[in-house]
Amino acid sequence: DQPPDLPKLELGVLEPINVVPDISISDEYEPNLMSPTSSTQTSLDLSANSPRKNKYKMKIKRLHRENRRLKKKVENLENKLNNFIQHVTLDDYKKLTLTICPSKDLANFINIQVDQAHKHPKGRRFSSDFKNDCLAMYYTGPKVYKKKLMNMFCLPSPQTLFKLTRGIKIDQGLKNYRIFDILKMKVNCFQNQNKYCMLCVDEMSIKANLFYDRGNDYVVGLAENEKGDKIFKPALSVSVLMIRGLYCKWKQPLAYFFANKTFPAQSMNNVIHQAILMLNEIGLRVCVVTCDMGSNNLQLAKVMGVTSEHPYFFVNGLKVVYVFDVLHILKAIRNNLIKFDYVYENKNISWDYLQNFYSIDKMYPIRAAHKLTDSHINPSNFEKMKVRYASQIFSATVSAD
């Protein structure tokens, strides 16, 4: 059989048809593409025992068991700790502190606080070593010690610490090692520039008198040599050594020596060298030695080899400058001006000029040199010892322009 004849199609030009789809969707219609249906949702029978869920179930059970075990362990440890705390003694705590603390000094400090915490502040007792440590802390910062540290810890009061220094026995010579120990604690708190100091040497006359110290079985008032051996002669003069800061305002007497007349220059030279060496050992640097222009000090300068060209000497390789006290030089110039006249550049300088000026100036109500008094112009023996009367004589208010 032959296929039926198909109709013939006429070929022509196709024209485009504009089709605008209706895309308006009502507000009530919200397509839920992920909403489960009976055809897409897996049944509970099939998903309850999936490999992934079984794995998580085993992990949760294991964590629950571990949690119960750890809670029981913590409970047992708490019970053991409570039982240990109830039966622990103060000695056991101190031994434990010594074992745990990294520093023995820190452990001792904690144990002292434990011992003194329950006591009344006036009933606390401290060892000598602890007082020395507290004295060093007080020297470091007195305000911090009194206002902060004493409120935070059980520490001795400043009055208790001062008893340590007041109880030091001061003997003749450089045998007072306790002074150097306390001074070393103070020097350790200094900055480097505050460690530079000067050594002052002075001598004064005293009245001869003997006194028996019953507590120490000692006769006070006899002269001694540089080694501390008694010379059975009454002391008529005393030489004193004192150090003073150059950059910072501090001073400390070091030693005194009784002498029958004057302390020998050679003996004083040995004492000064020994004192400088002892001060260098505790961290101080003595740069200057100063004294007045007494005859024994002039002899001391010759013994040390000090001259105007080389006004210094050496101690253990360190240079020390020897200086006469400027204030004493000022008083010496004034005293010599009262007795003698000076000639400077063919001009006469006399004390009479100053006396005449004062006698005229004090007659006026408004004075040119209002600071001048009779004590300046006609000083007594005691007034001659005061520096201010000599310095005001040579001040700018008295000088003539």
Side-chain angles (χ1 to χ4, degrees), residues 98-144:
L98 291 172
T99 305
I100 296 176
C101 288
S103 173
K104 185 178 179 180
D105 295 335
L106 178 60
N108 293 332
F109 181 83
I110 295 175
N111 291 335
I112 290 174
Q113 300 304 308
V114 174
D115 288 336
Q116 305 296 330
H118 64 281
K119 297 181 180 179
H120 192 271
K122 294 185 178 180
R124 295 168 181 169
R125 298 295 180 267
F126 302 95
S127 63
S128 299
D129 295 336
F130 186 73
K131 289 180 182 178
N132 291 332
D133 296 337
C134 292
L135 185 62
M137 290 190 291
Y138 180 82
Y139 284 150
T140 304
K143 293 183 179 179
V144 177

Side-chain angles (χ1 to χ4, degrees), residues 174 180 183-184 187-188 195-199 243 250 254 271-289 313-320:
L174 294 171
F180 287 89
L183 187 59
K184 183 177 181 180
V187 170
N188 291 334
K195 296 180 180 180
Y196 291 91
C197 62
M198 63 186 302
L199 179 63
I243 54 174
W250 63 270
L254 284 183
V271 168
I272 290 175
H273 279 71
Q274 183 182 358
I276 293 175
L277 291 176
M278 295 176 69
L279 292 173
N280 289 339
E281 289 179 358
I282 65 175
L284 292 175
R285 172 69 172 91
V286 180
C287 301
V288 181
V289 172
F313 60 97
F314 292 91
V315 178
N316 201 16
L318 299 176
K319 181 188 290 187
V320 181

Side-chain angles (χ1 to χ4, degrees), residues 67-77:
N67 188 25
R68 287 193 297 270
R69 185 183 68 82
L70 293 176
K71 284 184 178 179
K72 188 174 182 180
K73 185 177 180 179
V74 170
E75 185 178 356
N76 293 333
L77 291 175

Side-chain angles (χ1 to χ4, degrees), residues 10 14 28 34 45 88 179 185 203 213 216 232 248 253 270 280 315 322 373 388 392-395:
E10 295 181 358
L14 297 177
E28 298 179 356
M34 300 301 295
D45 297 338
V88 72
I179 293 180
M185 291 190 296
E203 186 177 9
D213 187 357
N216 298 313
F232 292 98
C248 182
N270 298 334
N280 289 339
V315 178
Y322 191 88
T373 62
R388 63 188 182 94
Q392 290 173 354
I393 283 292
F394 301 107
S395 64

Side-chain angles (χ1 to χ4, degrees), residues 372-389:
L372 286 183
T373 62
D374 291 336
S375 298
H376 293 84
I377 305 302
N378 300 306
S380 62
N381 292 332
F382 287 100
E383 290 172 343
K384 288 181 179 180
M385 299 173 62
K386 295 185 179 181
V387 179
R388 63 188 182 94
Y389 290 141

